[in-house]
Amino acid sequence: MAETAPATNGTHNSDGVVAQASGSPATYSAPSRVTLHLGHLPSKKDIKAPWPRTPSRVDPNNPPWPAYRGYHEYSFAYATMGVRLPTILGKAIDDASRTMNEQSAEDKIVDLVECLERMDALMADLSGNAKLRPIVDDGEGDVALWNKEIAKYFQGKDFMNAPWLFAEAYKYRRLHECFSVSKYWKDYDVFYRQKCDTFSRSTDAVFELSMRFADPFKQSENMSDKEKAESERLMFLELTQVCLWGNSTDLSLLINMTEEQIKSLQSTGGDHLAATEKNILGNHLNQLWETVKVLREKTGGRIDFVLDNAGFELYCDFVYADFLIQTGLAKQIRFHGKRYPWFVSDVTRKDWDWLLNTMVYGHLFPKASEVERESLRRLGARWKQYEKDGRWQYEQHPFWCTGYTFWDLHSEAPDLFLHLSRSDLVYFKGDLNHRKLTYDCAAPASIPFDVAIGPMANAAGAPKICSLRTIKSDVVVGLGDDGDAIAERLDKEEPGWKISGKYAVVLLSEGRPGEKVRFA
């Protein structure tokens, strides 16, 4: 039965205009409401959205599964965009101000004041949730990639309603722009002091490793071939964990750590590693060993590291890479870093050089014994020699500092994809690289890793990939058939488990190596 709205003092025309009586002017009102009782029709169906999106419907603003956005209060995106990023930017402004106060030349001071004014404008845009404007042409190789993506997918988007991954990357690109258009401060790193300071407070973990690996690795001659192989396997598994958990020191998340907290996070003793392996929720460690151990037989033996954090994590990466070289598991290692400061603690060429030179020449640890200092010098000297003879190489492609995920690496940076396709194994370190591999979206935890990374697993020529990641953000994939149940249980028992850094994944994709790379 229908219910009609109360009659008005006039008649309705088709546009909802009420023609008033006695010649009064026409006024506008809402159309009459009609309520229907649909008790005899079929009940509403619980229709699930068609996830994942088909490949033709996937783009940077529409990931395969729903994107995390800054206004999503249930996700870490909300805290990051609303609190963490303004805090990080505030500390960056403090750092630049400190540097300005140390200057004496007027032209440099005036130039840096202008950088600070641009940082203030960025803070206003970030705090006021401004629209995302194009990047100024500052001569960087990534400007065209940034502005094409903004024009094509993010016209009219702001910091909070663009996908979190893109908005966060955009903030760091804008921060670089504050300095890159200047005269004297193009390469200034507002996070450099923090990165150096954090490594200087990593004393215990640094010497725990240097005292073990200062001298070249040797197997006992009294061991059988079988015993040597098993010893090498166990050392590989432990060093993979050292490389994995070194990621705990992420400055963008832990910007007010005490020295004791750093020591706790960086504990590298054997007992600690055995205890932490149970926290590796997606654990392909054994498959990884089976993949790596046959590289010795290959003529190439090239392994790549897409780096994450500077300082202690890079130090752990070097220890791991040193072992791979010494054992012959790899003959050449390529390290991929960033062209400029990125996500607070990501490795730049300056961070790379600083670490090696500090180890050999520096006096960063005043309380260390002479034996400990010598162990560090030996390690640093050996690693610098690897760089001189070409066994270690540092590279910095512009694509790594764009807003694109790695699903678009094949199409937006075909030269880099081809380069990686020639590697026998590519390690992607840390949370940000994992987010970019998986499109940083709300995929189910049970989704296999090679499905979640799309073209990085299924495109012709895709290399073998290993993601070493301590979990510090919402996206979690590759936990196996029971992954959804595991995630639901942790959601109930340990709220915040996705951002605590307590859990990790070691996930392997076999890719499609050997196939000829094809580009559209």
Side-chain angles (χ1 to χ4, degrees):
M1 180 177 179
E3 296 176 356
T4 59
T8 61
N9 187 23
T11 58
H12 285 271
N13 65 19
S14 60
D15 295 322
V17 176
V18 180
Q20 297 292 335
S22 66
S24 61
T27 59
Y28 292 84
S29 66
S32 301
R33 290 189 58 195
V34 177
T35 304
L36 299 176
H37 296 279
L38 307 178
H40 297 288
L41 298 184
S43 60
K44 291 181 180 179
K45 302 298 188 292
D46 182 17
I47 301 174
K48 294 184 178 180
W51 304 108
R53 288 186 172 95
T54 57
S56 63
R57 294 173 58 236
V58 171
D59 64 52
N61 192 41
N62 297 285
W65 284 270
Y68 298 109
R69 302 179 192 266
Y71 63 84
H72 291 161
E73 295 186 24
Y74 59 83
S75 84
F76 194 41
Y78 184 74
T80 296
M81 299 306 298
V83 179
R84 284 180 58 242
L85 289 193
T87 300
I88 290 168
L89 182 55
K91 286 182 175 288
I93 292 172
D94 291 343
D95 178 272
S97 299
R98 175 180 170 184
T99 297
M100 184 187 67
N101 293 335
E102 296 169 349
Q103 304 306 306
S104 58
E106 183 179 12
D107 54 346
K108 287 190 174 182
I109 292 173
V110 170
D111 199 27
L112 190 50
V113 166
E114 292 174 355
C115 296
L116 282 161
E117 289 172 350
R118 288 187 285 269
M119 294 174 79
D120 287 337
L122 174 57
M123 179 67 87
D125 284 354
L126 183 60
S127 302
N129 193 29
K131 297 286 191 291
L132 308 182
R133 64 157 174 81
I135 298 298
V136 171
D137 188 355
D138 54 6
E140 285 287 356
D142 58 12
V143 174
L145 282 170
W146 270 103
N147 288 340
K148 181 176 78 169
E149 191 173 13
I150 292 170
K152 192 171 182 179
Y153 303 109
F154 299 109
Q155 285 281 356
K157 291 292 184 182
D158 55 46
F159 280 94
M160 296 300 278
N161 65 20
W164 169 30
L165 179 59
F166 182 84
E168 190 172 11
Y170 174 83
K171 174 259 181 182
Y172 285 100
R173 183 59 180 88
R174 283 277 305 276
L175 178 58
H176 176 60
E177 180 190 288
C178 294
F179 295 92
S180 61
V181 298
S182 69
K183 182 178 180 180
Y184 297 105
W185 305 95
K186 292 181 183 295
D187 299 319
Y188 185 71
D189 185 350
V190 291
F191 307 121
Y192 185 64
R193 283 191 182 96
Q194 293 183 59
K195 288 182 278 191
C196 297
D197 181 61
T198 302
F199 185 70
S200 72
R201 291 186 285 147
S202 306
T203 308
D204 289 357
V206 167
F207 291 119
E208 172 79 24
L209 292 172
S210 69
M211 292 294 290
R212 293 173 182 266
F213 294 101
D215 293 324
F217 170 69
K218 288 183 180 179
Q219 296 267 32
S220 171
E221 295 185 3
N222 296 325
M223 297 170 66
S224 66
D225 289 345
K226 184 177 181 180
E227 288 171 332
K228 288 180 179 178
E230 179 62 8
S231 172
E232 187 176 85
R233 183 185 74 86
L234 293 173
M235 186 171 290
F236 172 83
L237 295 178
E238 284 205 0
L239 283 176
T240 303
Q241 278 210 66
V242 169
C243 193
L244 167 69
W245 294 108
N247 175 247
S248 293
T249 310
D250 184 335
L251 292 178
S252 71
L253 292 167
L254 306 170
I255 52 181
N256 292 307
M257 290 170 62
T258 65
E259 189 165 351
E260 288 305 313
Q261 288 171 321
I262 291 174
K263 289 179 181 179
S264 175
L265 284 169
Q266 295 175 341
S267 176
T268 53
D271 291 341
H272 177 77
L273 291 175
T276 56
E277 186 170 358
K278 69 180 185 300
N279 290 340
I280 302 176
L281 301 179
N283 190 345
H284 292 173
L285 275 171
N286 290 325
Q287 297 97 306
L288 178 62
W289 168 245
E290 293 300 317
T291 296
V292 171
K293 74 177 184 180
V294 300
L295 297 185
R296 191 186 284 116
E297 303 162 11
K298 293 181 176 288
T299 56
R302 170 185 153 189
I303 290 178
D304 287 52
F305 283 79
V306 181
L307 298 169
D308 188 34
N309 294 325
F312 182 71
E313 182 179 350
L314 180 60
Y315 177 77
C316 291
D317 296 339
F318 283 169
V319 170
Y320 192 39
D322 188 5
F323 173 79
L324 295 173
I325 290 288
Q326 288 191 55
T327 55
L329 293 169
K331 294 182 177 66
Q332 183 187 66
I333 296 181
R334 307 285 184 99
F335 297 87
H336 302 267
K338 306 300 191 297
R339 293 169 62 89
Y340 47 78
W342 190 248
F343 279 69
V344 182
S345 48
D346 281 32
V347 178
T348 65
R349 179 76 211 201
K350 184 177 180 180
D351 299 322
W352 168 286
D353 290 338
W354 176 84
L355 178 59
L356 291 175
N357 289 324
T358 294
M359 290 175 65
V360 176
Y361 306 110
H363 296 275
L364 199 63
F365 304 102
K367 295 182 180 179
S369 68
E370 187 54 40
V371 172
E372 289 173 327
R373 290 196 189 97
E374 178 60 22
S375 70
L376 204 58
R377 283 194 288 267
R378 289 188 188 183
L379 266 188
R382 186 163 73 240
W383 296 348
K384 286 172 74 70
Q385 186 59 43
Y386 289 156
E387 188 176 21
K388 287 178 183 177
D389 61 28
R391 283 183 283 179
W392 283 10
Q393 295 183 30
Y394 180 89
E395 302 176 359
Q396 47 184 20
H397 195 282
F399 181 81
W400 302 123
C401 289
T402 69
Y404 284 104
T405 73
F406 300 154
W407 277 53
D408 291 310
L409 196 157
H410 177 274
S411 58
E412 300 300 334
D415 59 325
L416 178 58
F417 185 87
L418 182 63
H419 182 50
L420 295 176
S421 74
R422 293 169 178 155
S423 179
D424 293 303
L425 175 66
V426 182
Y427 285 98
F428 283 85
K429 291 296 309 297
D431 197 68
L432 175 60
N433 283 325
H434 190 88
R435 289 169 64 194
K436 286 202 164 193
L437 279 169
T438 59
Y439 231 124
D440 197 39
C441 53
S446 58
I447 290 294
F449 180 59
D450 57 356
V451 174
I453 66 175
M456 290 301 288
N458 60 39
K464 292 184 179 181
I465 284 173
C466 177
S467 178
L468 297 179
R469 178 229 186 176
T470 52
I471 299 171
K472 299 175 187 171
S473 60
D474 296 286
V475 60
V476 177
V477 299
L479 303 194
D481 294 340
D482 297 328
D484 294 343
I486 293 170
E488 288 177 12
R489 175 176 59 79
L490 288 171
D491 283 339
K492 294 176 181 178
E493 296 177 1
E494 298 183 47
W497 68 275
K498 290 181 179 178
I499 60 174
S500 66
K502 176 182 176 181
Y503 296 98
V505 292
V506 178
L507 298 173
L508 184 67
S509 166
E510 293 293 337
R512 295 172 64 183
E515 294 188 30
K516 185 177 180 180
V517 177
R518 295 187 297 272
F519 300 109

